[in-house]
Amino acid sequence: MRATEGADRGGMNLWRLFFCCSTVFVLLLLGCASVSQKAQTAEVLAWVNGEPVTEGDVLYQLQVSHRREDLAGAGAIDVSDYVQNVINNILLVQEARIMGLDKTPEFKKAIDDYILRESVVKLHDEEVLAKTELTEEDVVDYFNENFNLFTLDYIVTDSEERAEEALAKLKEGADFEEVASEYSVRGKEEEADIKTKMEEEEDTNPHQIVLTLNALEKTPEIEEAVLGMEPGDRRGVIQSGEQYYIVELVSQKEPDLKDLEKEHVRKRIEKGALEAKQKKREDDYVMDLREKAALEGQLHIYEDVLSSVDFKDRTEEEMDKLKADDRIVAEVYGNKLTVGDLASAARFDKTKEGLLDNWISFKVVNHEALSRHYEQAPELKEMLDSYKKQLLKDAFIKKVILPQIMVSDGILKDYYSEHKEDFVKAPRYKLQQITVKSEEDAEAVLEELKGGADFSWVAKNRSTDANREFGGNLGWKRKGQLPAEFWDYLDSLELGQISPIISTGSSFLIIRMQDKEEGEIPKFEEIKGAVFNAYMQDKFGTLMDDYVAKLRDGADIRVNEKAVRSLEERLRGGA
């Protein structure tokens, strides 16, 4: 049996990806639940059947509603409304508990998964971020190791045959740039893709590129060739993906430490150096955990089973048989990986050994994270409480509310007929505009127009905005696309009519109504999706309101009005 040998970097990268994905997942799902845990205080704003509504609960509701910024202005928000929303949510959560929705396997798994995700993130914070300190030596070393500059002349073709033809001409003494102009696929999508991939620096020669070593590493086939070359050397034909290259090293320049004095360069280098150091720490830490598991006798790989498995050139029927194979390939802290598990995860870009190493890395990290019991810390407890409430509310909605909503084409058509006015397309206006800087200029322009001057001519000669060269034409616009100062005139102006002087504060405008289209109601088939969404939202809101009203009828709800006003005053004051 083997323990820790052969762990590849793929496992470490996946562990790193786990941190990123878990963080994003939690933020998206909870709308930044950290607001709740940071803002939580002992002040209770209300009681719902004996359960408290805290300031943290209300602040979390504000965050989820994306209304936190509105509180910057006094009187913008009535915090009491949000207190009532929290009360309603608690009533739904309590109802979900009565129904036993917190006892279901799905709920328990979701909680376990959440604890695991947050624990892994916490472990990463403690063992990687907190233990990775960037020094000036790190910055200089990273710069020296990765920022040699390689100037390359190159030809890229989309076929090996054309690349060989180009290489033959070069060997006969033809000019490199002339051959590149004839054979290279410059300007085609293929070259654009590879240039993006290689992080091309700005250059003047259309067939020359300047790359750092850091950028060169992104195309390994070309990197391997270039690192073995001296200035003046040529290599070809090099295949990278579906393209074929001929590369000539023009020059190689050592990094200049003076470049680190440039702020934009230093920021880029510091970012790369820190990421590289964190990556090394991640890799080393996972290796330590694997060795720890092996020493404790908690990591076993059954080489005889692993060597008997081969995914190459297998038919679909053979792969199905392998997916049903329950022989154990490895065990980590009681977790078992079977042949079937490996077969189900098999990918063309991963070997069975790579898949195994990834799995082991995940398991040792997960075990270490859970063993630290971060979920018992107050910070995670509060986050977990918010998450549980959200899960229970969602479970209640799926179990009770959504099944009551009946949908069919007939129902949607009836809804459309009853709410046609809600689907009216906004009117469109075709306008011309003249802009001047002073009210005196505007009055002079208005007099010209009233005297019969052509609006387009005046716009071209007197207007100061970018539309002057088009005779002031703005084209077709809907109300929301136009300045608010125009709105009062849009419906009152007749075709060809000119507005009074309109002040925007910084300039003065006159507009002319060229044409207008009244709002129209699209056909049902054209907006069926929008009708469905509107119907679902309408029915959902009605059912929820009815259900909450019933729950409130028999509930013991007590609001601490003094505490609510105090919170509202502090929020309005920017506290």
Side-chain angles (χ1 to χ4, degrees):
M1 292 188 291
R2 178 179 65 170
T4 60
E5 310 96 313
D8 69 6
R9 294 303 186 191
M12 321 313 174
N13 290 334
L14 285 175
W15 183 49
R16 195 176 191 188
L17 177 64
F18 183 91
F19 294 136
C20 297
C21 291
S22 61
T23 303
V24 171
F25 176 87
V26 173
L27 290 178
L28 289 175
L29 186 59
L30 290 185
C32 300
S34 57
V35 171
S36 176
Q37 51 96 1
K38 288 181 180 178
Q40 198 75 272
T41 72
E43 188 72 78
V44 175
L45 304 182
W47 293 91
V48 184
N49 294 325
E51 187 171 341
V53 173
T54 67
E55 287 188 4
D57 293 326
V58 175
L59 292 175
Y60 173 62
Q61 180 67 37
L62 286 166
Q63 181 75 23
V64 171
S65 301
H66 302 288
R67 296 288 297 276
R68 178 66 178 85
E69 66 276 9
D70 290 348
L71 294 172
I77 291 294
D78 185 352
V79 174
S80 297
D81 290 343
Y82 286 90
V83 173
Q84 293 302 320
N85 286 339
V86 173
I87 289 172
N88 293 342
N89 286 338
I90 289 177
L91 287 170
L92 293 172
V93 169
Q94 290 174 347
E95 185 73 359
R97 291 195 190 109
I98 293 172
M99 295 171 62
L101 298 183
D102 57 341
K103 303 294 192 298
T104 65
E106 295 81 9
F107 180 83
K108 292 179 179 178
K109 183 179 185 305
I111 295 302
D112 289 343
D113 289 346
Y114 177 83
I115 292 172
L116 175 59
R117 287 193 301 270
E118 286 300 306
S119 297
V120 170
V121 171
K122 184 67 174 175
L123 179 68
H124 184 258
D125 290 345
E126 288 185 358
E127 295 296 340
V128 176
L129 300 186
K131 295 185 178 181
T132 306
E133 183 178 351
L134 191 66
T135 66
E136 182 63 19
E137 184 180 1
D138 294 327
V139 175
V140 173
D141 287 347
Y142 182 80
F143 182 63
N144 286 331
E145 290 171 7
N146 295 280
F147 283 81
N148 287 48
L149 294 179
F150 297 85
T151 302
L152 308 173
D153 283 340
Y154 71 101
I155 298 171
V156 57
T157 72
D158 49 14
S159 75
E160 186 174 12
E161 181 181 3
R162 283 186 59 78
E164 293 289 359
E165 288 178 15
L167 185 60
K169 286 194 175 186
L170 292 173
K171 289 179 178 178
E172 292 171 0
D175 180 74
F176 192 98
E177 190 169 344
E178 289 181 2
V179 176
S181 297
E182 179 181 356
Y183 284 90
S184 192
V185 292
R186 177 164 179 81
K188 294 184 180 179
E189 184 179 350
E190 291 86 349
E191 187 184 31
D193 288 344
I194 198 67
K195 281 191 172 186
T196 299
K197 180 181 177 184
M198 294 171 68
E199 295 187 357
E200 180 185 9
E201 302 285 344
E202 243 182 84
D203 58 70
T204 55
N205 186 332
H207 303 290
Q208 191 171 91
I209 189 169
V210 180
L211 297 170
T212 63
L213 178 59
N214 184 259
L216 195 60
E217 289 174 350
K218 300 186 184 213
T219 313
E221 300 87 354
I222 296 179
E223 177 196 17
E224 183 179 357
V226 170
L227 293 183
M229 296 166 65
E230 297 292 335
D233 287 352
R234 181 186 301 146
R235 292 286 186 274
V237 173
I238 306 166
Q239 182 178 0
S240 178
E242 298 180 357
Q243 295 176 311
Y244 300 84
Y245 289 83
I246 299 168
V247 177
E248 190 171 291
L249 180 60
V250 177
S251 66
Q252 179 178 345
K253 179 185 174 184
E254 296 292 325
D256 187 349
L257 289 177
K258 289 184 179 179
D259 288 339
L260 280 177
E261 297 174 6
K262 301 173 184 176
E263 184 179 359
H264 71 282
V265 174
R266 171 166 281 276
K267 284 183 178 180
R268 179 182 175 190
I269 302 306
E270 286 180 347
K271 182 175 184 291
L274 181 60
E275 288 175 351
K277 197 166 185 179
Q278 288 175 345
K279 176 64 170 59
K280 184 178 185 306
R281 171 59 187 164
E282 288 169 354
D283 294 348
D284 291 344
Y285 183 63
V286 172
M287 290 301 298
D288 290 344
L289 293 179
R290 292 171 69 110
E291 290 173 3
K292 176 185 175 183
L295 288 172
E296 293 176 349
Q298 295 294 331
L299 170 56
H300 306 285
I301 299 174
Y302 301 97
E303 294 284 4
D304 55 335
V305 178
L306 181 64
S307 61
S308 71
V309 178
D310 185 8
F311 300 139
K312 291 182 179 179
D313 302 320
R314 292 282 189 171
T315 65
E316 186 175 344
E317 184 179 351
E318 289 172 332
M319 285 301 293
D320 287 340
K321 287 183 179 180
L322 284 173
K323 289 177 182 178
D325 192 333
D326 60 0
R327 287 179 297 160
I328 298 173
V329 176
E331 292 184 73
V332 178
Y333 291 109
N335 298 284
K336 297 178 181 179
L337 180 72
T338 67
V339 173
D341 295 330
L342 270 183
S344 297
R347 297 290 186 274
F348 66 90
D349 59 341
K350 282 289 182 184
T351 64
K352 61 184 179 182
E353 290 81 9
L355 290 168
L356 172 61
D357 285 330
N358 288 340
W359 180 81
I360 292 172
S361 295
F362 271 118
K363 293 304 178 183
V364 295
V365 168
N366 291 351
H367 175 80
E368 180 65 22
L370 291 176
S371 71
R372 299 195 180 192
H373 296 290
Y374 293 117
E375 74 278 5
Q376 295 179 6
E379 178 181 340
L380 187 53
K381 273 186 176 180
E382 291 171 2
M383 291 175 64
L384 185 58
D385 181 60
S386 294
Y387 183 66
K388 285 179 179 179
K389 290 176 180 176
Q390 186 62 49
L391 277 181
L392 284 172
K393 180 182 175 182
D394 291 344
F396 173 83
I397 288 170
K398 291 176 184 176
K399 182 80 172 178
V400 177
I401 303 298
L402 294 182
Q404 297 183 57
I405 303 178
M406 306 300 294
V407 182
S408 68
D409 273 359
I411 290 174
L412 293 180
K413 286 179 181 178
D414 289 343
Y415 183 84
Y416 166 77
S417 297
E418 295 169 5
H419 299 82
K420 280 187 177 181
E421 65 281 358
D422 296 339
F423 302 102
V424 175
K425 284 186 178 179
R428 292 201 310 163
Y429 308 90
K430 190 176 183 182
L431 302 172
Q432 283 179 286
Q433 170 182 296
I434 295 173
T435 305
V436 292
K437 294 182 178 179
S438 69
E439 188 170 8
E440 291 75 16
D441 289 342
E443 289 173 350
V445 166
L446 191 58
E447 285 301 316
E448 286 186 55
L449 295 172
K450 287 180 177 179
D454 179 71
F455 196 99
S456 298
W457 185 90
V458 176
K460 285 181 179 180
N461 290 277
R462 302 288 299 274
S463 186
T464 61
D465 63 42
N467 296 295
R468 61 181 296 175
E469 61 181 295
F470 307 109
N473 285 306
L474 300 182
W476 285 100
K477 302 286 185 181
R478 298 195 189 276
K479 185 175 182 180
Q481 298 173 304
L482 293 165
E485 292 83 1
F486 287 15
W487 294 0
D488 290 340
Y489 302 95
L490 294 177
D491 293 322
S492 60
L493 286 178
E494 300 296 334
L495 298 186
Q497 191 175 357
I498 296 169
S499 73
I501 297 171
I502 303 171
S503 173
T504 65
S506 59
S507 59
F508 296 86
L509 301 91
I510 298 168
I511 61 174
R512 176 176 178 267
M513 183 67 69
Q514 289 181 293
D515 201 356
K516 66 171 67 175
E517 291 180 354
E518 298 299 330
E520 59 179 15
I521 301 175
K523 294 180 180 179
F524 172 77
E525 290 73 16
E526 296 174 1
I527 56 168
K528 185 175 178 180
V531 174
F532 172 82
N533 291 335
Y535 168 77
M536 288 294 293
Q537 184 175 356
D538 196 349
K539 291 295 292 182
F540 176 80
T542 300
L543 289 169
M544 282 289 284
D545 289 346
D546 290 346
Y547 207 104
V548 168
K550 292 176 182 177
L551 293 176
R552 291 182 73 100
D553 278 346
D556 178 14
I557 300 172
R558 303 176 188 179
V559 178
N560 183 345
E561 298 292 351
K562 182 179 178 181
V564 172
R565 287 194 299 273
S566 173
L567 174 60
E568 190 169 72
E569 289 169 4
R570 280 182 281 125
L571 288 173
R572 288 175 177 173

